[in-house]
Amino acid sequence: MVQQAKGVDIDRADEFSRRLLDALYEMGLMPLSLTERPASYDKYPKELLAYLQSRPGDERSRVEMAFQEWQAWVLRKPKYAATKSDAYPAVMALGQWMRDNADLFNKATIRHLRKSFYGRTYAYLYPRLDQIVNFKDYCHEQNVGLDEVPRRQLPAQMDNSETGQRKAWLRAVADKGFVEVHFYKGTERSRQAIVKNLGEKYVEPLQEEAMTFLLNNPHYFDKVFRKDN
């Protein structure tokens, strides 16, 4: 049964939240740590919600107008310039999902999302970022398996001017085979934290999500590395 809270379809609100955050992280427009100023966690989601709240028309035309205007606004962001071609499919998919679910965006849902997106973003980021940083430290400290990785060019959204050791393991974390072999071993501390704070049943799905997130967003790992070093 679909959960309801004061006129809000919680299940679909959760799905919208996840899809929007997936797209924003692929665009490189969201925080790289858990200690940034609060506005950095919900700036872009709240802007989309503001468009949805203020545009006239029936459900579908209002959603279409809001998404097109938000998309035009977000595409101009300088941080996004290096990743447009790679991330844009996620933006298009988000727009199509919103059109298909236009009835979701009533006043109650928009109000609920505006009030909850800071927490939603933090909850989305924590298990992913904590594991990615843990894995980064593991790769850096252990210097593991870099000879396993083909010497191909780094993904376009990463800095191909890098040389030496840094380039070697930035290439490694963009390689699916390397990540699948080493991610579990490299995130022991994060797994223990998940068990302690959330419970054993969350370890496997959150680890799978974090690994998928890393492989889909190698530029994010690159930025985490640069921020922490």
Side-chain angles (χ1 to χ4, degrees):
M1 180 180 294
V2 175
Q3 301 177 51
Q4 297 287 340
K6 297 181 180 179
V8 179
D9 183 333
I10 295 295
D11 289 347
R12 284 197 295 162
D14 289 347
E15 176 73 4
F16 166 69
S17 173
R18 183 190 62 77
R19 286 174 176 270
L20 175 54
L21 290 170
D22 281 347
L24 288 168
Y25 274 101
E26 285 197 40
M27 286 189 276
L29 292 175
M30 296 296 278
L32 301 177
S33 79
L34 298 171
T35 58
E36 297 189 23
R37 58 189 179 85
S40 65
Y41 293 93
D42 58 11
K43 173 182 177 180
Y44 297 103
K46 278 191 171 179
E47 191 69 23
L48 176 54
L49 294 171
Y51 280 121
L52 286 166
Q53 194 168 36
S54 62
R55 295 306 176 259
D58 58 32
E59 289 174 346
R60 189 172 178 86
S61 62
R62 182 166 52 84
V63 167
E64 181 67 29
M65 185 183 302
F67 177 77
Q68 292 296 342
E69 293 179 13
W70 176 82
Q71 175 184 240
W73 174 73
V74 84
L75 288 173
R76 295 189 181 98
K77 297 302 170 184
K79 291 181 181 179
Y80 183 36
T83 62
K84 280 184 181 178
S85 60
D86 296 294
Y88 192 62
V91 180
M92 291 192 295
L94 171 66
Q96 187 57 54
W97 190 92
M98 290 177 65
R99 295 180 192 101
D100 293 342
N101 293 271
D103 63 305
L104 171 66
F105 300 102
N106 56 43
K107 290 182 180 179
T109 300
I110 293 172
R111 182 168 57 249
H112 164 71
L113 288 169
R114 285 181 65 85
K115 291 180 177 180
S116 65
F117 239 109
Y118 174 79
R120 287 173 176 274
T121 305
Y122 201 91
Y124 175 98
L125 177 61
Y126 174 78
R128 292 164 172 81
L129 180 60
D130 188 64
Q131 291 186 75
I132 288 171
V133 171
N134 191 188
F135 185 57
K136 174 191 75 72
D137 292 341
Y138 168 81
C139 291
H140 188 64
E141 292 166 5
Q142 302 296 323
N143 193 24
V144 291
L146 299 184
D147 57 340
E148 305 167 19
V149 181
R151 290 186 170 277
R152 60 173 177 266
Q153 191 176 28
L154 290 171
Q157 65 268 46
M158 295 171 71
D159 187 353
N160 278 283
S161 67
E162 288 290 353
T163 59
Q165 182 73 359
R166 179 183 285 190
K167 182 170 184 175
W169 67 268
L170 286 179
R171 184 188 294 114
V173 298
D175 183 86
K176 188 172 188 287
F178 176 88
V179 172
E180 288 180 341
V181 168
H182 293 285
F183 194 80
Y184 187 83
K185 291 186 291 185
T187 54
E188 174 63 28
R189 176 185 56 76
S190 296
R191 286 201 308 280
Q192 292 175 358
I194 292 171
V195 171
K196 179 180 178 181
N197 295 317
L198 298 174
E200 183 74 37
K201 69 178 181 179
Y202 290 97
V203 172
E204 186 173 342
L206 286 176
Q207 189 153 48
E208 185 66 28
E209 284 187 19
M211 186 167 67
T212 300
F213 183 74
L214 172 60
L215 289 167
N216 288 342
N217 299 277
H219 61 288
Y220 183 85
F221 188 96
D222 191 14
K223 289 182 179 180
V224 170
F225 177 88
R226 293 172 185 278
K227 187 177 183 68
D228 291 351
N229 287 271

Short mmCIF file of all heavy atoms in Angstrom, two decimals, residues 92-139:
data_model
loop_
_atom_site.label_atom_id
_atom_site.label_comp_id
_atom_site.label_asym_id
_atom_site.label_seq_id
_atom_site.Cartn_x
_atom_site.Cartn_y
_atom_site.Cartn_z
N MET A 92 17.65 14.33 -18.40
CA MET A 92 16.51 14.01 -19.27
C MET A 92 15.61 12.96 -18.63
O MET A 92 14.37 13.06 -18.71
CB MET A 92 17.02 13.51 -20.63
CG MET A 92 17.68 14.58 -21.47
SD MET A 92 17.97 14.04 -23.19
CE MET A 92 19.15 12.72 -22.92
N ALA A 93 16.22 11.96 -17.99
CA ALA A 93 15.43 10.92 -17.34
C ALA A 93 14.60 11.49 -16.19
O ALA A 93 13.45 11.10 -15.98
CB ALA A 93 16.34 9.81 -16.83
N LEU A 94 15.19 12.43 -15.46
CA LEU A 94 14.45 13.09 -14.38
C LEU A 94 13.25 13.84 -14.94
O LEU A 94 12.14 13.74 -14.41
CB LEU A 94 15.37 14.06 -13.64
CG LEU A 94 14.70 14.97 -12.61
CD1 LEU A 94 14.13 14.16 -11.45
CD2 LEU A 94 15.68 16.03 -12.11
N GLY A 95 13.46 14.59 -16.02
CA GLY A 95 12.37 15.33 -16.62
C GLY A 95 11.24 14.43 -17.08
O GLY A 95 10.06 14.73 -16.87
N GLN A 96 11.59 13.30 -17.70
CA GLN A 96 10.55 12.37 -18.16
C GLN A 96 9.79 11.77 -16.99
O GLN A 96 8.57 11.62 -17.04
CB GLN A 96 11.18 11.26 -19.01
CG GLN A 96 10.15 10.36 -19.68
CD GLN A 96 9.19 11.14 -20.55
OE1 GLN A 96 9.62 11.89 -21.44
NE2 GLN A 96 7.89 11.00 -20.31
N TRP A 97 10.51 11.42 -15.93
CA TRP A 97 9.84 10.86 -14.75
C TRP A 97 8.87 11.88 -14.16
O TRP A 97 7.76 11.54 -13.76
CB TRP A 97 10.87 10.45 -13.70
CG TRP A 97 10.28 9.67 -12.56
CD1 TRP A 97 10.17 8.31 -12.47
CD2 TRP A 97 9.68 10.21 -11.37
NE1 TRP A 97 9.55 7.97 -11.29
CE2 TRP A 97 9.23 9.11 -10.60
CE3 TRP A 97 9.48 11.50 -10.88
CZ2 TRP A 97 8.60 9.27 -9.37
CZ3 TRP A 97 8.84 11.66 -9.66
CH2 TRP A 97 8.41 10.56 -8.91
N MET A 98 9.28 13.13 -14.12
CA MET A 98 8.40 14.18 -13.58
C MET A 98 7.15 14.34 -14.45
O MET A 98 6.04 14.52 -13.94
CB MET A 98 9.16 15.50 -13.48
CG MET A 98 10.22 15.50 -12.38
SD MET A 98 11.17 17.05 -12.32
CE MET A 98 9.87 18.21 -11.84
N ARG A 99 7.31 14.28 -15.77
CA ARG A 99 6.14 14.37 -16.65
C ARG A 99 5.20 13.20 -16.43
O ARG A 99 3.98 13.36 -16.40
CB ARG A 99 6.60 14.41 -18.11
CG ARG A 99 7.40 15.65 -18.48
CD ARG A 99 7.83 15.62 -19.94
NE ARG A 99 8.83 16.64 -20.20
CZ ARG A 99 10.14 16.42 -20.29
NH1 ARG A 99 10.61 15.18 -20.15
NH2 ARG A 99 10.98 17.41 -20.51
N ASP A 100 5.77 12.01 -16.27
CA ASP A 100 4.96 10.81 -16.07
C ASP A 100 4.27 10.80 -14.71
O ASP A 100 3.30 10.05 -14.51
CB ASP A 100 5.82 9.56 -16.20
CG ASP A 100 6.34 9.35 -17.62
OD1 ASP A 100 5.78 9.95 -18.56
OD2 ASP A 100 7.32 8.59 -17.78
N ASN A 101 4.78 11.58 -13.78
CA ASN A 101 4.23 11.61 -12.42
C ASN A 101 3.80 13.03 -12.04
O ASN A 101 3.92 13.44 -10.88
CB ASN A 101 5.27 11.10 -11.42
CG ASN A 101 5.57 9.63 -11.59
OD1 ASN A 101 4.92 8.78 -11.00
ND2 ASN A 101 6.56 9.32 -12.42
N ALA A 102 3.28 13.75 -13.02
CA ALA A 102 2.94 15.16 -12.80
C ALA A 102 1.94 15.35 -11.67
O ALA A 102 1.96 16.37 -10.97
CB ALA A 102 2.39 15.77 -14.10
N ASP A 103 1.07 14.36 -11.46
CA ASP A 103 0.06 14.49 -10.41
C ASP A 103 0.67 14.46 -9.01
O ASP A 103 0.00 14.81 -8.03
CB ASP A 103 -0.97 13.37 -10.53
CG ASP A 103 -0.34 11.99 -10.32
OD1 ASP A 103 0.64 11.67 -11.04
OD2 ASP A 103 -0.82 11.25 -9.45
N LEU A 104 1.93 14.05 -8.89
CA LEU A 104 2.59 14.02 -7.57
C LEU A 104 2.76 15.42 -6.99
O LEU A 104 2.69 15.62 -5.78
CB LEU A 104 3.97 13.36 -7.70
CG LEU A 104 4.88 13.42 -6.46
CD1 LEU A 104 4.29 12.61 -5.31
CD2 LEU A 104 6.28 12.92 -6.81
N PHE A 105 2.97 16.41 -7.87
CA PHE A 105 3.47 17.71 -7.41
C PHE A 105 2.34 18.67 -7.03
O PHE A 105 2.19 19.75 -7.59
CB PHE A 105 4.39 18.30 -8.47
CG PHE A 105 5.57 17.42 -8.76
CD1 PHE A 105 5.60 16.62 -9.90
CD2 PHE A 105 6.63 17.35 -7.86
CE1 PHE A 105 6.68 15.78 -10.15
CE2 PHE A 105 7.71 16.51 -8.10
CZ PHE A 105 7.74 15.73 -9.24
N ASN A 106 1.55 18.23 -6.06
CA ASN A 106 0.53 19.12 -5.50
C ASN A 106 1.16 19.99 -4.41
O ASN A 106 2.33 19.84 -4.06
CB ASN A 106 -0.64 18.30 -4.95
CG ASN A 106 -0.17 17.27 -3.91
OD1 ASN A 106 0.65 17.56 -3.05
ND2 ASN A 106 -0.70 16.05 -4.01
N LYS A 107 0.38 20.89 -3.87
CA LYS A 107 0.92 21.83 -2.88
C LYS A 107 1.45 21.12 -1.64
O LYS A 107 2.50 21.50 -1.10
CB LYS A 107 -0.17 22.84 -2.48
CG LYS A 107 -0.52 23.83 -3.57
CD LYS A 107 -1.57 24.82 -3.09
CE LYS A 107 -1.92 25.83 -4.18
NZ LYS A 107 -2.96 26.79 -3.72
N ALA A 108 0.75 20.09 -1.21
CA ALA A 108 1.17 19.38 0.00
C ALA A 108 2.52 18.70 -0.20
O ALA A 108 3.40 18.73 0.68
CB ALA A 108 0.12 18.36 0.41
N THR A 109 2.70 18.08 -1.38
CA THR A 109 3.96 17.38 -1.65
C THR A 109 5.11 18.37 -1.79
O THR A 109 6.21 18.14 -1.26
CB THR A 109 3.84 16.54 -2.92
OG1 THR A 109 2.80 15.57 -2.74
CG2 THR A 109 5.15 15.81 -3.21
N ILE A 110 4.88 19.45 -2.50
CA ILE A 110 5.94 20.46 -2.66
C ILE A 110 6.33 21.03 -1.31
O ILE A 110 7.52 21.19 -1.00
CB ILE A 110 5.48 21.57 -3.62
CG1 ILE A 110 5.32 21.01 -5.04
CG2 ILE A 110 6.48 22.73 -3.61
CD1 ILE A 110 4.70 21.98 -6.02
N ARG A 111 5.34 21.31 -0.47
CA ARG A 111 5.63 21.84 0.87
C ARG A 111 6.44 20.82 1.69
O ARG A 111 7.42 21.17 2.35
CB ARG A 111 4.33 22.18 1.58
CG ARG A 111 4.53 22.79 2.97
CD ARG A 111 3.23 23.38 3.51
NE ARG A 111 2.17 22.39 3.56
CZ ARG A 111 1.09 22.40 2.78
NH1 ARG A 111 0.95 23.35 1.85
NH2 ARG A 111 0.16 21.48 2.89
N HIS A 112 6.02 19.56 1.62
CA HIS A 112 6.74 18.50 2.34
C HIS A 112 8.19 18.39 1.86
O HIS A 112 9.13 18.30 2.66
CB HIS A 112 6.02 17.17 2.14
CG HIS A 112 6.86 15.98 2.50
ND1 HIS A 112 7.19 15.66 3.80
CD2 HIS A 112 7.46 15.04 1.72
CE1 HIS A 112 7.95 14.57 3.81
NE2 HIS A 112 8.13 14.18 2.57
N LEU A 113 8.39 18.42 0.54
CA LEU A 113 9.74 18.28 0.00
C LEU A 113 10.61 19.48 0.35
O LEU A 113 11.80 19.32 0.66
CB LEU A 113 9.67 18.09 -1.52
CG LEU A 113 9.14 16.73 -1.98
CD1 LEU A 113 8.86 16.75 -3.48
CD2 LEU A 113 10.13 15.61 -1.65
N ARG A 114 10.04 20.67 0.32
CA ARG A 114 10.83 21.85 0.68
C ARG A 114 11.32 21.76 2.13
O ARG A 114 12.44 22.16 2.45
CB ARG A 114 9.99 23.12 0.50
CG ARG A 114 9.81 23.55 -0.95
CD ARG A 114 9.00 24.83 -1.04
NE ARG A 114 9.71 25.95 -0.44
CZ ARG A 114 10.61 26.70 -1.08
NH1 ARG A 114 10.91 26.43 -2.34
NH2 ARG A 114 11.20 27.71 -0.48
N LYS A 115 10.48 21.23 3.00
CA LYS A 115 10.85 21.12 4.41
C LYS A 115 11.82 19.96 4.68
O LYS A 115 12.54 19.98 5.68
CB LYS A 115 9.60 20.94 5.26
CG LYS A 115 8.72 22.19 5.33
CD LYS A 115 7.50 21.94 6.20
CE LYS A 115 6.65 23.19 6.34
NZ LYS A 115 5.45 22.95 7.19
N SER A 116 11.81 18.96 3.81
CA SER A 116 12.56 17.73 4.11
C SER A 116 13.81 17.52 3.27
O SER A 116 14.57 16.59 3.53
CB SER A 116 11.64 16.51 3.93
OG SER A 116 11.25 16.35 2.57
N PHE A 117 14.08 18.38 2.28
CA PHE A 117 15.16 18.05 1.35
C PHE A 117 16.55 18.14 1.99
O PHE A 117 17.47 17.43 1.58
CB PHE A 117 15.11 18.91 0.08
CG PHE A 117 14.98 18.07 -1.15
CD1 PHE A 117 13.80 18.03 -1.86
CD2 PHE A 117 16.03 17.27 -1.59
CE1 PHE A 117 13.66 17.23 -2.98
CE2 PHE A 117 15.91 16.47 -2.70
CZ PHE A 117 14.73 16.44 -3.40
N TYR A 118 16.72 18.99 2.98
CA TYR A 118 18.03 19.02 3.65
C TYR A 118 18.31 17.65 4.26
O TYR A 118 19.39 17.07 4.07
CB TYR A 118 18.05 20.10 4.73
CG TYR A 118 19.32 20.07 5.55
CD1 TYR A 118 20.50 20.62 5.07
CD2 TYR A 118 19.33 19.48 6.82
CE1 TYR A 118 21.67 20.59 5.82
CE2 TYR A 118 20.49 19.44 7.57
CZ TYR A 118 21.66 20.00 7.07
OH TYR A 118 22.81 19.95 7.81
N GLY A 119 17.36 17.12 5.00
CA GLY A 119 17.53 15.80 5.61
C GLY A 119 17.64 14.70 4.57
O GLY A 119 18.42 13.76 4.72
N ARG A 120 16.85 14.81 3.51
CA ARG A 120 16.91 13.80 2.45
C ARG A 120 18.29 13.77 1.79
O ARG A 120 18.84 12.71 1.51
CB ARG A 120 15.84 14.09 1.39
CG ARG A 120 14.42 13.79 1.81
CD ARG A 120 13.42 14.27 0.77
NE ARG A 120 12.06 13.92 1.12
CZ ARG A 120 11.48 12.76 0.83
NH1 ARG A 120 12.16 11.84 0.17
NH2 ARG A 120 10.23 12.51 1.18
N THR A 121 18.84 14.95 1.53
CA THR A 121 20.15 15.02 0.90
C THR A 121 21.23 14.46 1.81
O THR A 121 22.11 13.72 1.38
CB THR A 121 20.49 16.47 0.52
OG1 THR A 121 19.44 17.00 -0.30
CG2 THR A 121 21.80 16.55 -0.24
N TYR A 122 21.17 14.82 3.07
CA TYR A 122 22.17 14.34 4.03
C TYR A 122 22.09 12.81 4.15
O TYR A 122 23.11 12.12 4.15
CB TYR A 122 21.93 14.98 5.39
CG TYR A 122 23.14 14.97 6.29
CD1 TYR A 122 24.04 16.04 6.28
CD2 TYR A 122 23.38 13.91 7.15
CE1 TYR A 122 25.14 16.04 7.10
CE2 TYR A 122 24.49 13.90 7.97
CZ TYR A 122 25.37 14.97 7.95
OH TYR A 122 26.47 14.96 8.76
N ALA A 123 20.85 12.30 4.21
CA ALA A 123 20.67 10.84 4.32
C ALA A 123 21.15 10.13 3.06
O ALA A 123 21.65 9.00 3.12
CB ALA A 123 19.20 10.52 4.59
N TYR A 124 20.98 10.76 1.91
CA TYR A 124 21.47 10.20 0.65
C TYR A 124 22.99 10.20 0.62
O TYR A 124 23.63 9.24 0.19
CB TYR A 124 20.92 11.06 -0.49
CG TYR A 124 21.39 10.71 -1.89
CD1 TYR A 124 20.62 9.92 -2.73
CD2 TYR A 124 22.60 11.21 -2.38
CE1 TYR A 124 21.04 9.63 -4.03
CE2 TYR A 124 23.02 10.92 -3.67
CZ TYR A 124 22.24 10.13 -4.48
OH TYR A 124 22.67 9.84 -5.76
N LEU A 125 23.57 11.30 1.08
CA LEU A 125 25.01 11.48 0.97
C LEU A 125 25.81 10.65 1.96
O LEU A 125 26.85 10.09 1.62
CB LEU A 125 25.34 12.96 1.16
CG LEU A 125 26.82 13.38 1.15
CD1 LEU A 125 27.45 13.03 -0.18
CD2 LEU A 125 26.95 14.86 1.44
N TYR A 126 25.33 10.56 3.20
CA TYR A 126 26.15 9.98 4.26
C TYR A 126 26.68 8.58 3.94
O TYR A 126 27.89 8.35 3.96
CB TYR A 126 25.40 9.96 5.60
CG TYR A 126 26.19 9.24 6.66
CD1 TYR A 126 27.26 9.86 7.29
CD2 TYR A 126 25.91 7.91 6.97
CE1 TYR A 126 28.02 9.19 8.23
CE2 TYR A 126 26.67 7.23 7.91
CZ TYR A 126 27.72 7.87 8.53
OH TYR A 126 28.48 7.19 9.45
N PRO A 127 25.81 7.59 3.64
CA PRO A 127 26.36 6.25 3.41
C PRO A 127 27.23 6.16 2.17
O PRO A 127 28.13 5.32 2.09
CB PRO A 127 25.11 5.37 3.29
CG PRO A 127 24.02 6.30 2.90
CD PRO A 127 24.35 7.61 3.54
N ARG A 128 26.97 7.01 1.17
CA ARG A 128 27.79 6.99 -0.04
C ARG A 128 29.15 7.64 0.22
O ARG A 128 30.20 7.06 -0.04
CB ARG A 128 27.06 7.72 -1.17
CG ARG A 128 25.82 6.99 -1.65
CD ARG A 128 24.94 7.91 -2.48
NE ARG A 128 23.84 7.21 -3.12
CZ ARG A 128 22.71 6.87 -2.51
NH1 ARG A 128 22.53 7.17 -1.23
NH2 ARG A 128 21.75 6.24 -3.17
N LEU A 129 29.11 8.85 0.76
CA LEU A 129 30.35 9.59 0.95
C LEU A 129 31.25 8.91 1.97
O LEU A 129 32.47 8.82 1.78
CB LEU A 129 30.05 11.02 1.40
CG LEU A 129 31.27 11.90 1.65
CD1 LEU A 129 32.11 12.03 0.38
CD2 LEU A 129 30.86 13.27 2.15
N ASP A 130 30.69 8.43 3.06
CA ASP A 130 31.50 7.80 4.09
C ASP A 130 32.25 6.60 3.52
O ASP A 130 33.44 6.41 3.78
CB ASP A 130 30.62 7.37 5.26
CG ASP A 130 31.45 6.89 6.44
OD1 ASP A 130 32.20 7.71 7.01
OD2 ASP A 130 31.37 5.70 6.79
N GLN A 131 31.57 5.79 2.72
CA GLN A 131 32.23 4.63 2.13
C GLN A 131 33.25 5.03 1.07
O GLN A 131 34.32 4.43 0.97
CB GLN A 131 31.19 3.69 1.52
CG GLN A 131 30.31 3.01 2.56
CD GLN A 131 29.39 1.99 1.94
OE1 GLN A 131 29.81 0.90 1.57
NE2 GLN A 131 28.12 2.33 1.84
N ILE A 132 32.93 6.05 0.29
CA ILE A 132 33.85 6.49 -0.75
C ILE A 132 35.13 7.06 -0.14
O ILE A 132 36.24 6.77 -0.60
CB ILE A 132 33.18 7.51 -1.69
CG1 ILE A 132 32.14 6.78 -2.56
CG2 ILE A 132 34.19 8.21 -2.57
CD1 ILE A 132 31.26 7.70 -3.37
N VAL A 133 34.99 7.86 0.91
CA VAL A 133 36.17 8.41 1.59
C VAL A 133 36.97 7.28 2.24
O VAL A 133 38.21 7.27 2.18
CB VAL A 133 35.75 9.47 2.62
CG1 VAL A 133 36.95 9.88 3.48
CG2 VAL A 133 35.17 10.69 1.92
N ASN A 134 36.28 6.33 2.84
CA ASN A 134 36.94 5.17 3.43
C ASN A 134 37.73 4.40 2.36
O ASN A 134 38.89 4.01 2.56
CB ASN A 134 35.88 4.27 4.07
CG ASN A 134 36.44 3.16 4.95
OD1 ASN A 134 35.70 2.29 5.40
ND2 ASN A 134 37.73 3.17 5.22
N PHE A 135 37.11 4.21 1.21
CA PHE A 135 37.76 3.50 0.10
C PHE A 135 38.94 4.30 -0.44
O PHE A 135 40.00 3.75 -0.76
CB PHE A 135 36.74 3.24 -1.00
CG PHE A 135 37.26 2.41 -2.14
CD1 PHE A 135 37.79 1.16 -1.93
CD2 PHE A 135 37.21 2.90 -3.44
CE1 PHE A 135 38.26 0.39 -2.99
CE2 PHE A 135 37.67 2.14 -4.50
CZ PHE A 135 38.20 0.88 -4.27
N LYS A 136 38.78 5.62 -0.52
CA LYS A 136 39.89 6.48 -0.96
C LYS A 136 41.10 6.31 -0.05
O LYS A 136 42.23 6.15 -0.51
CB LYS A 136 39.45 7.94 -0.97
CG LYS A 136 40.58 8.92 -1.28
CD LYS A 136 40.18 10.34 -1.01
CE LYS A 136 40.15 10.66 0.46
NZ LYS A 136 41.51 10.75 1.05
N ASP A 137 40.84 6.35 1.26
CA ASP A 137 41.94 6.21 2.22
C ASP A 137 42.61 4.84 2.08
O ASP A 137 43.84 4.74 2.16
CB ASP A 137 41.41 6.38 3.65
CG ASP A 137 40.95 7.81 3.92
OD1 ASP A 137 41.37 8.72 3.17
OD2 ASP A 137 40.18 8.01 4.87
N TYR A 138 41.80 3.82 1.88
CA TYR A 138 42.34 2.47 1.71
C TYR A 138 43.23 2.39 0.48
O TYR A 138 44.36 1.88 0.54
CB TYR A 138 41.17 1.49 1.59
CG TYR A 138 41.54 0.10 1.13
CD1 TYR A 138 42.05 -0.84 2.02
CD2 TYR A 138 41.35 -0.28 -0.20
CE1 TYR A 138 42.38 -2.12 1.59
CE2 TYR A 138 41.67 -1.56 -0.63
CZ TYR A 138 42.18 -2.48 0.27
OH TYR A 138 42.50 -3.74 -0.16
N CYS A 139 42.75 2.92 -0.65
CA CYS A 139 43.56 2.90 -1.87
C CYS A 139 44.86 3.67 -1.68
O CYS A 139 45.93 3.23 -2.11
CB CYS A 139 42.77 3.51 -3.03
SG CYS A 139 41.36 2.56 -3.59
#
